[in-house]
Amino acid sequence: MGKAFEVIGGQATAPGATLTALTMNAGDSATVKNADLSSFVGLLGTWARNQAAGIWRIRSPKLHDNVQGIRYRIPATDPTQLWVAGAVQRLTPQDNLILELSGSAVGGQIEQACLLNYYVDLPGQQARLIGRDELLSRTQNVLTVEVAVTPGATGGWSGAVAINSLFDLLKANTDYAIIGYMVDAQVTAVGIRSPDFSNLRVGGPGMEAIVAGQIGARWTTARWFLELTEHYNISLIPVFNSANKAATLVDVMQNQTGTTVNVTLCVHELAPQGSKGFSVGLQ
């Protein structure tokens, strides 16, 4: 089965109080990917990051209604996950979602929002995703991998760097699971792409603990993929092999500030498939 997992996003520039259709990031689309109509596609999360308070709305005739659908009030500078943990909204392949955002009316200010989608069987894709039990049984060592991302000032995904761009210390031909990440400056989202994820971008919100209202934010994103796995009881922890380190890229979704961010990836070195890691016996 071709499992696929991705974060997508878009933006509106100075929409003011008018709900404005998102301009999707390059490579992202508001159209649900073309999976078989009988296979499951689910919306697992969403968040938005505004310069000023506004509204984030997701609607479609295929959802509950085409008038308000899923609608959230968004406070300023708070990209916290909005979705109720463990809840899934089924999506229809090829459905054109209507994604709209309001917020700041100041010229040049970019408002942004993201969706987190999961495909049980997407033709041509096969992301390497594991669950909690496999993570615990195969873990050899825990490490962090830091990268420095310098994004552009026009929004979208930018600043992509290889996962080994700052410290090239990964062991040869070894699997690594990414549990989550931390940032030292707020961004709308952190993205990670790899041939091991079928070159789709996995990721989540770029919350920073010192921002008002985000107590524990760094702890939340540090276990982002593990937490998603626990909430949904499906395998959502991405795994890449160090042989693909130069092609495993980290980027961010940043607004017009173009603020540089250091992303610290929380990673587990894994024993080969079928082997037990050093952590076995902890229980």
Side-chain angles (χ1 to χ4, degrees):
M1 298 234 291
K3 296 188 184 301
F5 178 39
E6 69 168 346
V7 57
I8 60 172
Q11 62 191 46
T13 301
T18 302
L19 277 163
T20 302
L22 293 189
T23 298
M24 299 303 291
N25 297 342
D28 293 347
S29 175
T31 301
V32 181
K33 283 182 165 45
N34 186 22
D36 189 286
L37 289 173
S38 64
S39 70
F40 187 88
V41 182
L43 174 60
L44 305 186
T46 188
W47 60 94
R49 179 178 177 228
N50 275 17
Q51 305 287 322
I55 292 170
W56 165 226
R57 187 166 69 182
I58 307 164
R59 59 192 179 98
S60 160
K62 302 293 187 181
L63 299 179
H64 177 271
D65 63 81
N66 197 32
V67 180
Q68 294 298 340
I70 302 168
R71 174 185 168 118
Y72 297 102
R73 292 273 174 176
I74 305 300
T77 64
D78 186 4
T80 300
Q81 160 82 309
L82 299 167
W83 208 247
V84 177
V88 179
Q89 170 61 57
R90 187 160 191 165
L91 300 177
T92 302
Q94 301 183 64
D95 185 23
N96 296 308
L97 300 175
I98 303 168
L99 308 176
E100 300 160 310
L101 192 59
S102 66
S104 173
V106 177
Q109 289 201 341
I110 297 173
E111 314 289 61
Q112 299 174 312
C114 293
L115 300 175
L116 196 62
N117 295 335
Y118 175 73
Y119 297 79
V120 170
D121 189 5
L122 184 63
Q125 308 294 315
Q126 186 58 68
R128 298 186 66 198
L129 303 168
I130 64 172
R132 182 177 181 273
D133 290 346
E134 184 173 350
L135 173 75
L136 293 179
S137 68
R138 291 180 61 193
T139 290
Q140 293 273 56
N141 290 295
V142 175
L143 65 149
T144 56
V145 180
E146 183 179 324
V147 296
V149 181
T150 303
T154 57
W157 298 106
S158 62
V161 294
I163 199 168
N164 64 327
S165 57
L166 201 57
F167 303 108
D168 191 7
L169 299 172
L170 299 177
K171 297 177 182 179
N173 195 31
T174 299
D175 283 344
Y176 290 90
I178 303 175
I179 307 308
Y181 55 88
M182 293 180 283
V183 296
D184 65 351
Q186 191 186 89
V187 294
T188 301
V190 172
I192 311 159
R193 287 176 293 149
S194 174
D196 290 301
F197 319 148
S198 297
N199 286 312
L200 295 181
R201 182 181 282 105
V202 301
M207 299 184 291
E208 184 192 7
I210 63 171
V211 176
Q214 290 185 25
I215 303 302
R218 281 164 62 86
W219 181 84
T220 299
T221 63
R223 65 190 312 272
W224 178 250
F225 298 113
L226 175 58
E227 188 165 290
L228 288 171
T229 294
E230 292 173 343
H231 285 321
Y232 292 102
N233 196 32
I234 54 179
S235 299
L236 293 171
I237 300 169
V239 174
F240 73 97
N241 191 277
S242 57
N244 291 323
K245 61 187 178 181
T248 299
L249 307 177
V250 182
D251 57 11
V252 299
M253 188 173 165
Q254 181 61 289
N255 58 26
Q256 78 286 341
T257 62
T259 303
T260 297
V261 58
N262 293 298
V263 180
T264 301
L265 300 166
C266 302
V267 177
H268 285 206
E269 177 198 349
L270 301 179
Q273 286 185 327
S275 301
K276 297 296 185 181
F278 295 156
S279 65
V280 172
L282 178 64
Q283 290 83 9

